[in-house]
Amino acid sequence: MPFIKPSLPYKYNELEPYIDTETMVVHYEMHHTAYVKNVSALPDNISCNTNLFSLLANLSKNTIFDEKTKRILRNHGGGHYNHSLFWQYMTISSNSNQSQISSMVKETIKRDFRDFMNFKDKFVSEALSVFGSGWCWWVYDTKKCYSFIITTTNQDNPIMEDENLVCLLGLDVWEHAYYLKYQSKRVEYINSWWNVVNWKTVCKIHDELALNKKQVSLLKNGIINFN
Ligand code: MN3
């Protein structure tokens, strides 16, 4: 299998009570596994390129791949890329400390959102606005040098439209990400999730990648490549 699911940086039950164990097991073992399996089934000349970023970047404008290949990359390649990031955007709640937010991230938030509360409010309202299945992202535009919040449908990732966008933080708002515990109360899921955000990783992506105009590519094991 050319694409590999990253191992989780915590145990299934370690995001409790914010993200429940059963959801983590089903989400990681079944949903993520299916995306990896399906994207790995692409023809060898495509799946031999295990750099998902380069396969997904500007996918909307891609005229080389046929429609079927593009659909598989969008849905399953996107699913693998998004979930690989998502696991790393989270950590056990005792490690999720806003005091770890770097001075450069603080500056970006201040410039683009005025303050942290406004940033968070904006993120929550955008995440709530996703109709059906999708994601909410905080992205950094390396060309225009500012950050903003954006939503995508299904397993689309912002890089599929614009390769200059770096995903600093993202939240899965598919029902499979929260329904077992929160049922239709998406707002409770979103508010709980802030307790497990991995600010160290978010800051590392912002400080080391985005500010240096580098993209979020994944290593073969699905871990973010910071080199
Ligand atoms: Mn999911």
Side-chain angles (χ1 to χ4, degrees):
M1 204 177 267
F3 296 98
I4 301 171
K5 228 175 28 165
S7 44
L8 282 182
Y10 32 76
K11 297 195 182 88
Y12 295 125
N13 63 357
E14 284 186 324
L15 303 185
E16 293 269 12
Y18 310 107
I19 311 285
D20 63 290
T21 307
E22 195 184 0
T23 296
M24 283 304 299
V25 171
V26 173
H27 204 173
Y28 178 79
E29 292 291 348
M30 301 182 74
H31 290 276
H32 193 166
T33 300
Y35 300 125
V36 172
K37 185 168 169 257
N38 288 321
V39 71
S40 297
L42 281 169
D44 288 346
N45 64 327
I46 295 165
S47 63
C48 67
N49 181 354
T50 53
N51 183 345
L52 254 186
F53 172 78
S54 64
L55 288 172
L56 301 181
N58 289 339
L59 186 66
S60 296
K61 297 156 206 156
N62 183 303
T63 52
I64 299 161
F65 298 142
D66 61 40
E67 286 309 311
K68 189 184 169 203
T69 299
K70 281 167 79 168
R71 199 166 56 242
I72 292 171
L73 279 173
R74 182 176 287 279
N75 293 337
H76 301 288
H80 176 37
Y81 186 79
N82 293 346
H83 286 85
S84 297
L85 296 179
F86 186 53
W87 311 132
Q88 293 171 72
Y89 289 142
M90 298 190 288
T91 186
I92 56 177
S93 61
S94 58
N95 288 339
S96 171
N97 196 338
Q98 282 173 28
S99 67
Q100 294 167 333
I101 297 176
S102 69
S103 55
M104 287 187 279
V105 167
K106 281 183 190 157
E107 274 172 37
T108 295
I109 288 174
K110 197 176 168 194
R111 184 193 62 205
D112 300 335
F113 300 94
R114 199 178 65 236
D115 57 40
F116 187 80
M117 277 314 292
N118 192 45
F119 157 74
K120 198 171 155 183
D121 287 349
K122 178 97 177 115
F123 192 98
V124 171
S125 68
E126 289 292 320
L128 278 172
S129 78
V130 175
F131 184 75
S133 299
W135 291 75
C136 183
W137 305 94
W138 178 30
V139 296
Y140 193 95
D141 187 324
T142 58
K143 216 170 177 183
K144 297 176 186 158
C145 297
Y146 78 107
S147 74
F148 57 97
I149 290 160
I150 190 174
T151 63
T152 55
T153 57
N154 300 317
Q155 293 300 349
D156 288 7
N157 183 284
I159 58 168
M160 293 176 185
E161 292 298 322
D162 184 348
E163 65 177 356
N164 298 304
L165 300 180
V166 172
C167 295
L168 303 173
L169 180 64
L171 174 62
D172 188 344
V173 288
W174 281 56
E175 283 186 347
H176 70 225
Y178 64 89
Y179 210 84
L180 290 174
K181 181 177 171 73
Y182 295 97
Q183 286 86 48
S184 62
K185 292 168 277 189
R186 187 190 279 182
V187 68
E188 287 185 19
Y189 160 64
I190 297 168
N191 286 331
S192 290
W193 172 75
W194 293 98
N195 290 291
V196 293
V197 169
N198 190 341
W199 292 108
K200 264 191 186 161
T201 297
V202 174
C203 293
K204 212 165 146 67
I205 295 171
H206 173 274
D207 295 357
E208 295 180 23
L209 299 178
L211 292 189
N212 292 316
K213 300 186 187 297
K214 285 188 195 167
Q215 263 299 344
V216 181
S217 62
L218 302 176
L219 299 171
K220 202 179 173 187
N221 60 6
I223 300 294
I224 299 168
N225 182 9
F226 283 104
N227 295 311

